[in-house]
Amino acid sequence: MHLSAKALKTINLSYLLLSVFVFGYVLLRAMISDITYDEVWTIFDFIPNSYFHILNFTPPDTNNHILNSISIKFLYSFLPDTVFVARIPNVIALLFYLFFAVKLCKKFLGGWKGLLLFVALTLNPYALDYFGLARGYGMMLGMQMAALYHVFKYFETKQNKHLFYLSLFSLLMILANFSSLYFYLGWLGVFFISLWKDREYVFTRTAIVMLFTILITVIIWEPIRKLIEINGFYVGGTTGFYEDTIWSLVRYSIYEMERSDWNQLLSSALFTASVVCVLLAFFGEGHKNRFWLSLGILSITALATIVQHYVLKGFYLIDRTALFFYPVMILTLFFAIDRFDMSRLSMTLSLLIAFLILLNFVLNANTYKSLNWYFDAHTEEMLSYINKVGEKEKRKQKIDYSWPFESSLAYYMKSGKYPFIENARKSYFEVNDSCDFYIYLGGKLDVIPYAPEKQLILNDARRKDKIFEFKKDRVVLFGMETGARIINPR
């Protein structure tokens, strides 16, 4: 469809404005949101280690995302060791994601449909969480989008330079997070299948791919060996690919952690509708190569995760470890719809998908919390209050808490910003008799064992008024009988 110069100008301006908005949103989150449990884990346990020990997983732990850890360590060598500085690598990764998403959408869909695809790729609130955190998942997505652009460019032009960049960005993607190895296997499978039809420059192309495959194997062999040795892959699902991977990706994308009849129904509806669109695309007349390419990558990637579960007895991917599926699924869906014979229907469905994703973002966008660690969203606010009480009473206030708060509290206590607070937690199995305050989490965690209804503080006779209650996040600051004074309760 031919577009007027005015329409093209409007579309290009929309790409720019949306990119600036998304970047500003993530940058603000990175600057002001409280530190999260796993970020503290990374900063305390891995950043002090040497670059070599980070690279070869000493100590071995899946929480060590190599590219993220190395980047933070490098920045801390000449910048202040603040939370924001630790998050800078993922903020930069967002620029990669946006840049290559724009190029991909303009080149392989174009026009208004390309812009709608860009909306769908960028406004997932759960994915945007990770571009503002010191974890590896944002960097993984940034490198994956670059790889996706070059995989489509390679199969369009068959130029070896795109194969080289595809392999390079895939290497960086895997170093950002090992779970994305499945996506690598996905496009690798399509690549080798394509060699049966296109025999030109087979040796050169195979050499490029194998060189990077060997390099990836050499780098990740020791970390994975160590993780297998200590049974270090401990987070994931055991039910099935749909139940664990698809359902969790849907409910986290709509910013819901806990399973419910509602999000199960929504997941089933979206999955069924997507499958129908893909099946109808088999009979469409539109551009077929990009559809078959995206579907092939998605299918082999999904198959690889299923096979590893049955052969290696590994977990199915869930929520954040499955995030790399999101861009491939969205691309496959849009490319499928683009094959429909009726352009009006194709445009309408594209508009509907983009609108629903935009609406979901509007309903769930925030600058103060990340879904996986929602309970860490108000830590500094509570500590500031307690510290003021201690300053007023001229004595340190003793705090106890539900265990999910232990990492963020440890980080802020170590920072020296709260001199009138003392960590008085004894163990998982008792409440400190002398504590002045207790921070309680009343919400559940998805795959991590935590039972809010069994917390001993609920039956403690010394528990007094709720000083802070963040109902949406189910976090409560209790004043205890021994010393707390209620000031401006909420």
Side-chain angles (χ1 to χ4, degrees):
M1 181 176 66
H2 179 72
L3 293 171
S4 66
K6 184 178 180 180
L8 287 173
K9 185 177 180 180
T10 302
I11 290 171
N12 289 332
L13 181 61
S14 299
Y15 275 115
L16 176 62
L17 292 177
L18 182 55
S19 297
V20 170
F21 169 77
V22 170
F23 182 77
Y25 169 76
V26 169
L27 181 63
L28 183 61
R29 287 179 54 87
M31 292 172 65
I32 69 175
S33 62
D34 285 8
I35 199 167
T36 62
Y37 192 104
D38 281 20
E39 288 180 293
V40 178
W41 193 346
T42 297
I43 292 171
F44 278 2
D45 286 15
F46 306 120
I47 305 308
N49 298 336
S50 68
Y51 288 108
F52 178 74
H53 284 161
I54 291 173
L55 192 61
N56 78 346
F57 266 46
T58 305
D61 198 296
T62 54
N63 201 53
N64 175 21
H65 301 160
I66 292 175
L67 192 59
N68 178 62
S69 298
I70 287 177
S71 299
I72 296 173
K73 184 175 181 65
F74 172 72
L75 290 179
Y76 274 8
S77 68
F78 62 92
L79 292 176
D81 55 350
T82 64
V83 180
F84 174 66
V85 169
R87 292 170 174 174
I88 287 176
N90 280 275
V91 175
I92 293 174
L94 177 61
L95 295 176
F96 279 80
Y97 188 90
L98 294 172
F99 176 77
F100 283 102
V102 170
K103 287 172 69 71
L104 193 156
C105 294
K106 284 185 175 183
K107 175 63 181 177
F108 297 103
L109 205 53
W112 292 106
K113 285 184 187 177
L115 180 61
L116 295 174
L117 172 59
F118 185 66
V119 170
L121 287 172
T122 55
L123 291 185
N124 182 321
Y126 181 61
L128 290 179
D129 275 2
Y130 285 96
F131 286 110
L133 294 175
R135 308 293 295 118
Y137 303 102
M139 303 180 81
M140 173 189 74
L141 289 172
M143 298 305 104
Q144 183 196 19
M145 186 55 67
L148 279 167
Y149 170 75
H150 285 290
V151 77
F152 283 102
K153 284 293 290 183
Y154 166 73
F155 279 96
E156 178 192 49
T157 65
K158 294 301 173 69
Q159 292 179 354
N160 289 338
K161 68 175 183 179
H162 292 297
L163 187 60
F164 174 84
Y165 286 124
L166 166 59
S167 301
L168 175 62
F169 282 117
S170 295
L171 167 63
L172 295 173
M173 173 191 69
I174 293 168
L175 290 180
N177 189 263
F178 288 165
S179 66
S180 61
L181 181 62
Y182 295 109
F183 170 74
Y184 180 71
L185 295 176
W187 76 253
L188 206 61
V190 173
F191 167 77
F192 280 115
I193 291 172
S194 73
L195 291 183
W196 286 99
K197 296 177 64 176
D198 184 9
R199 300 299 182 93
E200 191 176 9
Y201 304 116
V202 170
F203 177 79
T204 303
R205 292 168 181 170
T206 304
I208 293 172
V209 169
M210 292 309 298
L211 175 65
F212 277 94
T213 300
I214 292 170
L215 182 59
I216 290 170
T217 303
V218 168
I219 293 174
I220 71 173
W221 181 272
E222 185 66 4
I224 290 181
R225 183 195 67 78
K226 289 181 177 179
L227 289 171
I228 293 174
E229 189 176 79
I230 66 167
N231 197 26
F233 295 101
Y234 48 80
V235 174
T238 57
T239 307
F241 179 75
Y242 173 80
E243 293 85 348
D244 294 318
T245 304
I246 301 298
W247 186 9
S248 76
L249 197 54
V250 169
R251 69 174 187 271
Y252 275 75
S253 292
I254 62 172
Y255 233 64
E256 293 182 6
M257 176 180 288
E258 296 183 28
R259 300 165 188 252
S260 68
D261 293 338
W262 143 250
N263 58 47
Q264 183 178 30
L265 179 62
L266 178 64
S267 179
S268 299
L270 292 175
F271 181 73
T272 302
S274 298
V275 170
V276 169
C277 288
V278 169
L279 292 177
L280 290 176
F282 287 6
F283 308 99
E285 297 295 332
H287 197 291
K288 64 180 182 179
N289 290 343
R290 59 198 177 201
F291 165 68
W292 287 112
L293 176 56
S294 59
L295 180 61
I297 293 173
L298 176 60
S299 300
I300 296 175
T301 301
L303 183 62
T305 67
I306 296 170
V307 169
Q308 68 81 30
H309 172 74
Y310 285 103
V311 175
L312 302 177
K313 308 303 178 183
F315 290 109
Y316 287 108
L317 302 178
I318 59 171
D319 53 85
R320 58 193 182 274
T321 62
L323 263 176
F324 65 86
F325 271 107
Y326 181 77
V328 190
M329 288 177 172
I330 291 295
L331 287 171
T332 303
L333 182 57
F334 270 80
F335 289 155
I337 291 172
D338 190 50
R339 275 182 57 77
F340 290 179
D341 296 339
M342 294 178 288
S343 60
R344 182 172 295 181
L345 174 62
S346 175
M347 185 65 186
T348 301
L349 289 175
S350 300
L351 186 60
L352 176 61
I353 295 168
F355 171 75
L356 291 175
I357 290 174
L358 173 62
L359 178 63
N360 178 61
F361 174 80
V362 171
L363 293 175
N364 295 295
N366 70 88
T367 57
Y368 74 95
K369 71 176 178 181
S370 301
L371 182 59
N372 281 99
W373 303 279
Y374 67 93
F375 49 86
D376 281 326
H378 309 284
T379 306
E380 282 215 276
E381 186 175 352
M382 291 185 289
L383 290 179
S384 295
Y385 169 84
I386 298 170
N387 195 66
K388 288 178 181 177
V389 173
E391 187 175 14
K392 182 178 180 180
E393 297 187 358
K394 294 183 173 54
R395 71 175 181 86
K396 287 192 174 185
Q397 304 294 301
K398 296 180 179 180
I399 60 170
D400 202 349
Y401 46 87
S402 303
W403 74 258
F405 297 105
E406 63 186 2
S407 279
S408 60
L409 288 174
Y411 179 85
Y412 288 121
M413 296 290 285
K414 188 178 180 180
S415 72
K417 291 172 61 178
Y418 305 101
F420 291 96
I421 300 178
E422 178 183 338
N423 188 333
R425 188 163 189 263
K426 289 184 176 179
S427 71
Y428 290 90
F429 310 107
E430 60 181 314
V431 177
N432 192 316
D433 293 336
S434 64
C435 71
D436 299 285
F437 295 92
Y438 191 97
I439 304 175
Y440 167 68
L441 176 60
K444 296 181 179 179
L445 305 177
D446 189 13
V447 295
I448 306 298
Y450 172 74
E453 71 281 0
K454 295 182 180 179
Q455 300 302 298
L456 298 177
I457 187 65
L458 297 178
N459 299 314
D460 196 308
R462 297 175 300 110
R463 193 187 78 210
K464 304 297 285 185
D465 297 283
K466 297 176 181 178
I467 299 174
F468 287 89
E469 182 177 15
F470 303 95
K471 291 185 178 180
K472 188 174 182 179
D473 301 314
R474 290 166 287 185
V475 173
V476 180
L477 175 64
F478 288 114
M480 304 299 284
E481 191 174 286
T482 54
R485 301 292 181 266
I486 309 304
I487 302 173
N488 296 326
R490 52 188 286 182

